[in-house]
Amino acid sequence: MEISDNKTILKIKSLADSGNVSGNSTEEIFASCYNAVKKTLHITPFDEQLSASIALNKGRMVQMQTGEGKTLCAVFAACAHALNGGFVHVLTFNDYLANRDYKWMKPVYDEMGVSVGVITEKTPPAERKSAYLKQVVYSTAKETCFDYLRDFVELETEKMCFPKFDFAIFDEADSILIDEARIPLVIAGDVAVKDDGTVKEVYGKIADFNENDFEIDEETKNVYLTDNGADKAEEVFGAGSIYSAKNAGLLAKICACLKAREVLKEDKDYIVKDGKIVLVDEFTGRTAPGRVFPGELQSAAEAKHGLTITSRGRIIGSIPLQYFARLYPKIAGMTGTAESAREEFEKFYGILTETVPTRLPCVRIDNPLELYFDNDEKQKAVIEAIKTAYKAERPVLVGTQSIEESEKTAEILRSEGIPCVVLNAKNDEEEAGIIANAGNRGAVTISTNMAGRGVDIKLGGEDGKNRDFVVNVGGLLVISTAMRESERITLQLRGRAGRQGDVGESRCFAALDDEIMVKNGLQKLCGRHYPSEKTSGALTDKTLLKEAGRIQRISEGDAFDEREKLMKYTMIVEKHRKITFERRYSLLDGTYQSDIWKKNAFELYEKAVEKFGEVPLKKLENTVLAALLNEFHSDYLDYTTYLREGIHLTQIAGRNPAEEYAIACEEYYENAVRSIPERMAEKLEDILKCDRLEDYTIEKPSRIYTYLLNDIAEEFKVKPILLNVFSDEDKEEIVKETAEEKKPVSDNGNKTGFFKKLFGKK
Ligand code: ADP
Ligand code: MG
């Protein structure tokens, strides 16, 4: 493959050589950046790097192999944008990499006269705002997204820290924009709650419900009533059909109580501490204070332990990374594996993928799939492969599917006298140091997918001392212990060997009873070629191998469809979130003045003006309304969680779940907006009770915290409850509006009518 921007690159280099680069054209900025890199880092950017930089500057997704020097490419594009008056966020996926790249590239920015900052989880709140004022900020997608969400709690614009959305360059972009894109980032806060005791009552009333009355879904762990259970519920609660729309709330409570009783395990899923339910994170095994079970489940768990709750963590705001990324008017990305996700990048983010050739030809040997009858056989083969390499003192990197598998493999190796290190992305900094040495003579490193990504593996160790030896034994050997859910993930792993023209090799193992094979029906695909009884050693049937190879693409397609479906569901919530955030901001920065009190509560308003004066009252009105929007948004998020939970309770054939969900959300939202004048009037009454305006306090959460919500995709696999409140015409309109929201959008542009109706035109 050839570089496509040869002419531009030549021009940049000749401009750089001439030394006459004072202008502001992109080429001139690139040329002076070229010189700045030479001067400060003492390296000369390669043509491939310039080519990648040009593509980034155009807002492309750039595929460039691991070890080719992507870190440097971001600097060119960032400087070009910054020197044209813009602001750039360079976002990667862990704090260690953000810090490393910031420190590494800072001299170049200094030389270019571009200000640069860094924000990690450890950055104190007080320092964030000034860091965001820099022209270029290095951070993680997660941290910037949390900052954006945190601003939602502030009632004064001066206290908000997230600047405007401009240009984001994503490093390891496929991890962030595809693999982690769906995970919602959540901000929650402690707020006072009134426990009305209804869940407790329900919990008591279902005491004698037994196995005949409910079923537990093995996959989702949700609880459903059987026909028997439904009859019983109707008898016990005497509220008519349990599946009618008016009983949806009751049904959700019943199922939540059963789930709390039957599924949730104390000391595994949660602990009880200081009279509160504290969740345990299923990945880290650590407690997660402040996190709550969704919907009614939290109250149900409290009822189970007879707890009375006075304050509770409530979700204040939430956004999946995917939508956060789309808020930037311009984005670009770089990764070693973009090409196979080309369609997804274009469809979800509207950006095109461009591939930059490697500087030196890749000589890595990529072996075809090695297939075994079952996991026992496969494991034997994997251990054998590691042993052989270890005997030759050839470095091996083993990529496993999970932390458990890593630990198990390590245990076997150690019992056979093979020392190894295990990485599981728990401490990025420490692990970076280890992975940097994974190419050293005799090193055996076992790692999950994410561990150590973005860190260079040099042959012969970080200092390259044993390079000749390692080259002689064939370079780094990478072993994948299972077929990955997408080709992209397999390629990521293979790409850890053979960097910058190095020798290297990759081997991928799989077994017929691997989850991915079973789930996607390999046996059926293969027919009579599928072995009927256990054989040892690698399987050689050509059809079998071919079909097994195809499984990856099948699984990939399913995952893509799943993501697309999920996008449809979350679109509506995201639309409402955006409108609420924007409205709220315009109230707080004063670009919009609320007139609700005067219009809807004139008498109270007159009194208040007389007592406090019009100007301060008007200012307070905006703040009170903004705070009310927060409250509404929290309620709304509660409702959407409840809907998703409740959605599986009644399964109605022939309906489109995404549409039903959108409709229910829209209805809730519209009703919430309609109730604003009344709620505002109540607040004004409270205000009038105060002697001075300053005495009126707007309640804020006593403590806020942020976390990632685990993948919610599972929740959507079932059909939703039908809330029959809209005419078919209304539904069509809503579905149309939601579909229009699909295009990539920036944070401005309020497209929904309800707020307009209420607030008038902006
Ligand atoms: P990537 O992110 O593409 O995997 P990095 O940015 O981490 O790659 O760079 C890999 C290695 O290549 C680093 O050690 C870096 O110093 C080196 N490198 C990058 N560009 C050049 C260059 N132009 N000349 C020499 N070495 C370079
Ligand atoms: Mg990198």
Side-chain angles (χ1 to χ4, degrees), residues 146-305:
F146 278 144
D147 278 333
Y148 174 63
L149 286 173
R150 275 187 205 106
D151 281 351
F152 191 61
V153 186
E154 297 300 342
L155 289 173
E156 289 154 64
T157 47
E158 303 80 58
K159 288 196 179 144
M160 297 181 180
C161 81
F162 195 85
K164 78 179 189 117
F165 288 96
D166 193 357
F167 180 28
I169 302 174
F170 292 90
D171 192 7
E172 304 290 345
D174 56 335
S175 296
I176 302 172
L177 299 181
I178 294 180
D179 300 331
E180 312 229 306
R182 293 173 293 170
I183 304 175
L185 277 68
V186 172
I187 177 164
D190 273 343
V191 292
V193 288
K194 280 184 228 102
D195 186 354
D196 67 359
T198 52
V199 176
K200 233 177 231 171
E201 195 186 320
V202 171
Y203 194 88
K205 283 188 173 169
I206 56 145
D208 69 338
F209 277 48
N210 58 39
E211 302 85 67
N212 297 328
D213 304 319
F214 57 84
E215 271 168 24
I216 299 170
D217 183 303
E218 273 313 310
E219 207 180 320
T220 62
K221 298 287 174 212
N222 282 322
V223 179
Y224 305 82
L225 291 182
T226 58
D227 288 348
N228 211 32
D231 290 346
K232 202 159 167 180
E234 280 161 24
E235 202 183 296
V236 171
F237 292 95
S241 167
I242 197 74
Y243 292 118
S244 67
K246 93 175 154 54
N247 281 334
L250 176 61
L251 184 58
K253 286 189 180 81
I254 294 173
C255 292
C257 285
L258 286 168
K259 184 170 177 175
R261 198 180 79 189
E262 302 292 329
V263 181
L264 295 188
K265 299 261 179 300
E266 187 176 356
D267 293 333
K268 178 175 166 283
D269 299 310
Y270 65 90
I271 57 168
V272 180
K273 195 178 163 216
D274 302 331
K276 279 190 180 171
I277 302 279
V278 182
L279 270 61
V280 174
D281 186 290
E282 67 175 297
F283 292 121
T284 62
R286 282 180 296 217
T287 54
R291 196 184 298 190
V292 291
F293 288 118
E296 300 286 2
L297 195 55
Q298 181 73 14
S299 304
E302 286 157 5
K304 176 177 171 182
H305 290 275

Side-chain angles (χ1 to χ4, degrees), residues 43-46 49 65-71 104 456 500:
I43 52 174
T44 307
F46 303 123
Q49 286 174 311
Q65 292 306 316
T66 310
E68 294 284 305
K70 290 187 283 292
T71 318
W104 187 3
D456 220 18
Q500 294 191 4

Side-chain angles (χ1 to χ4, degrees), residues 66-67 69-71 92 97 100-101 104 171-172 334 453-455:
T66 310
K70 290 187 283 292
T71 318
T92 181
L97 291 172
R100 181 198 72 177
D101 295 351
W104 187 3
D171 192 7
E172 304 290 345
M334 46 196 196
R453 225 187 138 178
V455 180

Side-chain angles (χ1 to χ4, degrees), residues 152 316 570-587 625-626 628-640 642-643 660-677 679 723 725-726 734 737-738 741 749-759:
F152 191 61
I316 299 168
T570 49
M571 193 95 61
I572 182 88
V573 180
E574 172 57 13
K575 177 178 110 172
H576 291 147
R577 186 202 63 76
K578 260 175 63 186
I579 299 167
T580 311
F581 270 42
E582 281 162 20
R583 268 304 161 199
R584 190 180 174 284
Y585 192 83
S586 66
L587 284 163
L625 182 53
L628 187 65
L629 290 185
N630 277 20
E631 246 178 78
F632 275 145
H633 193 63
S634 264
D635 291 345
Y636 174 79
L637 289 174
D638 270 359
Y639 178 74
T640 57
Y642 150 72
L643 252 194
E660 298 299 337
Y661 181 71
I663 288 159
C665 290
E666 193 80 66
E667 187 221 13
Y668 184 91
Y669 185 80
E670 190 177 3
N671 280 337
V673 172
R674 276 204 203 104
S675 72
I676 285 179
R679 295 284 299 275
L723 299 183
V725 282
F726 275 88
I734 292 167
E737 249 189 59
T738 317
E741 284 287 310
N750 163 8
K751 291 179 194 77
T752 269
F754 303 134
F755 261 102
K756 273 205 207 114
K757 263 184 235 162
L758 183 77
F759 293 114

Side-chain angles (χ1 to χ4, degrees), residues 94-108:
N94 70 40
D95 281 350
Y96 164 75
L97 291 172
N99 240 327
R100 181 198 72 177
D101 295 351
Y102 160 76
K103 286 197 189 123
W104 187 3
M105 295 299 145
K106 188 169 187 305
V108 186

Side-chain angles (χ1 to χ4, degrees), residues 8-35:
T8 320
I9 291 169
L10 281 176
K11 186 156 175 218
I12 291 167
K13 289 204 289 194
S14 80
L15 271 170
D17 279 345
S18 77
N20 181 18
V21 282
S22 50
N24 260 350
S25 79
T26 304
E27 278 152 10
E28 275 169 304
I29 293 171
F30 270 46
S32 54
C33 200
Y34 187 87
N35 285 338

Side-chain angles (χ1 to χ4, degrees), residues 384-528:
E384 217 27 66
I386 299 170
K387 254 192 201 162
T388 312
Y390 179 71
K391 273 194 200 132
E393 292 187 72
R394 178 185 195 182
V396 200
L397 177 67
V398 186
T400 69
Q401 297 253 75
S402 65
I403 296 176
E404 279 154 320
E405 195 196 330
S406 290
E407 301 284 358
K408 208 171 123 198
T409 312
E411 203 176 297
I412 300 173
L413 288 175
R414 283 178 193 137
S415 74
E416 306 222 4
I418 300 176
C420 57
V421 275
V422 178
L423 308 181
N424 45 28
K426 271 187 184 158
N427 182 337
D428 294 318
E429 184 150 5
E430 201 181 295
E431 294 182 11
I434 297 172
I435 201 114
N437 276 303
N440 207 349
R441 180 174 175 170
V444 180
T445 314
I446 301 170
S447 152
T448 51
N449 250 350
M450 299 305 292
R453 225 187 138 178
V455 180
D456 220 18
I457 306 181
K458 291 199 173 97
L459 293 189
E462 216 176 344
D463 55 8
K465 225 164 63 197
N466 295 319
R467 182 176 165 89
D468 290 347
F469 179 91
V470 173
V471 168
N472 264 326
V473 292
L476 178 67
L477 170 67
V478 171
I479 291 177
S480 165
T481 64
M483 182 183 278
R484 302 312 166 113
E485 52 283 10
S486 77
E487 191 195 0
R488 196 167 41 76
I489 311 267
T490 301
L491 289 175
Q492 267 170 28
L493 204 57
R494 288 193 198 268
R496 308 234 51 168
R499 129 193 203 285
Q500 294 191 4
D502 280 345
V503 289
E505 187 176 350
S506 69
R507 295 177 70 175
C508 294
F509 292 84
L512 296 181
D513 61 353
D514 279 343
E515 200 189 320
I516 187 170
M517 302 290 180
V518 177
K519 213 166 90 186
N520 294 287
L522 178 68
Q523 185 163 8
K524 216 167 145 196
L525 284 174
C526 295
R528 63 183 175 81

